[in-house]
Amino acid sequence: MTNIDAFKDVPTTTLADLLGREQVMDTGIRPLWDSPRIAGPAYTVKCAPGDNLMLHAAIYRADPGSVIVVESGDTDHALAGGNVCAVAQRRGIVGFVVDGVIRDLAEVRDAGFPVFSRGVIPIPGAKKKLGTLGQPARVGGVLIHAGDIVVADEEGVVVTPSAKASGTLSGARAKLAKEADETLDAWEANHRARIEKALSEQGFTD
């Protein structure tokens, strides 16, 4: 069984190198404050545009250690505010990754609750429409299934499919170990050789 906590030690850049573009969220999903790297299994949520009912329901249903990820398709209404984030934090939720916006940023930042989203807006969403919980959701352009491993830091958000978690973690550890043993001089020599080879193959001459 994969040690999900071990993903906290893996930068998103390393995961992106291993998994490729399709598992990396677009640049609009950013940390709202200088939060630490987070990692955990996805608890997936889909909210109707302009409505936040399902996210508010999710904070009482997601297991401790989960990252709640939300598809909303709306940036005109906040999915959550300070109290919702505070309750999620108290219940052991690692953080929110939302394809939408929140509000009460000062409260969220002061509480130290990690939120990755498209920004903030002061107007709240309604609580009138059902969406889904635990079903596939598309967040930041990435299709996420419940239980996929979400890692988010200042570089962005990367999703590791649960079926690839063990192999990806092993590959990441090996890559990081190799990089740690490589001096800058060695890296520069290898890098220059690759660049010159690529230029030569394209017919470039000085």
Side-chain angles (χ1 to χ4, degrees), residues 32-35 82 85-86 89 102-115:
L32 292 187
W33 58 277
D34 188 21
S35 62
C85 291
Q89 184 178 41
I102 70 159
R103 67 178 193 167
D104 301 330
L105 177 56
E107 293 178 31
V108 175
R109 181 176 56 237
D110 290 347
F113 185 69
V115 176

Side-chain angles (χ1 to χ4, degrees), residues 43 102-103 130 201:
Y43 186 89
I102 70 159
R103 67 178 193 167
L130 290 177
E201 288 173 347

Side-chain angles (χ1 to χ4, degrees), residues 1-11 14-15 18 165-181:
M1 185 174 182
T2 303
N3 179 8
I4 294 174
D5 285 342
F7 274 87
K8 293 178 183 177
D9 298 325
V10 182
T14 300
L15 293 172
L18 295 171
S166 180
T168 300
L169 183 57
S170 296
R173 283 172 166 164
K175 189 174 190 299
L176 290 170
K178 180 181 178 181
E179 291 171 351
D181 289 338

Side-chain angles (χ1 to χ4, degrees), residues 5-206:
D5 285 342
F7 274 87
K8 293 178 183 177
D9 298 325
V10 182
T12 53
T13 49
T14 300
L15 293 172
D17 288 346
L18 295 171
L19 293 168
R21 181 65 187 88
E22 67 178 9
Q23 297 306 125
V24 180
M25 292 189 186
D26 69 57
T27 58
I29 310 294
R30 306 301 304 167
L32 292 187
W33 58 277
D34 188 21
S35 62
R37 181 179 301 131
I38 63 171
Y43 186 89
T44 52
V45 180
K46 290 181 72 171
C47 289
D51 197 281
N52 59 31
L53 176 62
M54 300 314 291
L55 171 55
H56 289 225
I59 66 172
Y60 301 108
R61 290 164 172 78
D63 290 333
S66 299
V67 176
I68 292 181
V69 295
V70 186
E71 175 185 334
S72 73
D74 177 68
T75 56
D76 293 324
H77 303 84
L79 286 163
N83 286 340
V84 168
C85 291
V87 171
Q89 184 178 41
R90 187 166 66 180
R91 295 182 62 84
I93 304 304
V94 170
F96 289 168
V97 176
V98 301
D99 203 333
V101 293
I102 70 159
R103 67 178 193 167
D104 301 330
L105 177 56
E107 293 178 31
V108 175
R109 181 176 56 237
D110 290 347
F113 185 69
V115 176
F116 294 73
S117 81
R118 294 195 182 276
V120 294
I121 198 168
I123 186 73
K127 298 171 182 61
K128 298 180 179 180
K129 298 179 181 179
L130 290 177
T132 62
L133 299 176
Q135 298 300 310
R138 188 169 292 278
V139 180
V142 178
L143 183 63
I144 307 171
H145 295 81
D148 288 350
I149 310 303
V150 179
V151 179
D153 61 20
E154 63 185 3
E155 300 282 350
V157 186
V158 181
V159 180
T160 302
S162 58
K164 296 182 178 180
S166 180
T168 300
L169 183 57
S170 296
R173 283 172 166 164
K175 189 174 190 299
L176 290 170
K178 180 181 178 181
E179 291 171 351
D181 289 338
E182 187 177 43
T183 66
L184 181 58
D185 287 342
W187 184 92
E188 181 182 1
N190 291 331
H191 177 259
R192 184 169 185 174
R194 291 198 307 272
I195 296 303
E196 295 305 321
K197 182 175 184 292
L199 290 172
S200 177
E201 288 173 347
Q202 295 299 318
F204 177 84
T205 57
D206 289 310

